[in-house]
Amino acid sequence: MRVPKPHRVTDKALLKALRIGYCELCGRADMECGVHHIITRGAAGPDARCNLVCLCNSCHTAAHAGNIAKEQLWAIVAAREGMTAEQVGQEA
């Protein structure tokens, strides 16, 4: 059975808040940073703050290639949200 694809993030305030102008992983200032789903949309990942991280193009590509562990990204989100990585993983 095929899992239905979630809708794109449409909350403009959420997107604006997460497009912070630098990569949350490497710290590179990059106005081309994009919002990355830690659990991918194809795997029914939610459009929620706990599942989204701002990444530069290089880190975004590395994340999609599987070269960055989800746990590493959740640790970044946890620090940003004032939660533990375990809490963030459970929210996502």
Side-chain angles (χ1 to χ4, degrees):
M1 176 178 212
R2 187 178 169 149
V3 176
K5 240 183 190 177
H7 295 288
R8 297 285 300 190
V9 178
T10 56
D11 183 343
K12 293 183 190 291
L14 175 60
L15 289 174
K16 185 177 180 180
L18 291 172
R19 287 194 177 124
I20 53 180
Y22 66 90
C23 179
E24 291 185 85
L25 180 63
C26 72
R28 179 177 169 212
D30 187 347
M31 296 312 293
E32 297 298 318
C33 285
V35 178
H36 172 72
H37 286 78
I38 299 170
I39 299 174
T40 63
R41 290 179 47 245
D47 291 336
R49 286 185 65 91
C50 62
N51 190 47
L52 301 171
V53 62
C54 187
L55 298 176
C56 68
N57 289 331
S58 296
C59 290
H60 205 160
T61 299
H64 278 280
N67 297 326
I68 300 170
K70 286 180 179 12
E71 293 77 17
Q72 186 177 2
L73 298 175
W74 278 328
I76 292 167
V77 172
R80 180 186 73 208
E81 299 297 322
M83 302 169 77
T84 67
E86 293 79 23
Q87 289 172 320
V88 171
Q90 291 172 357
E91 293 280 326

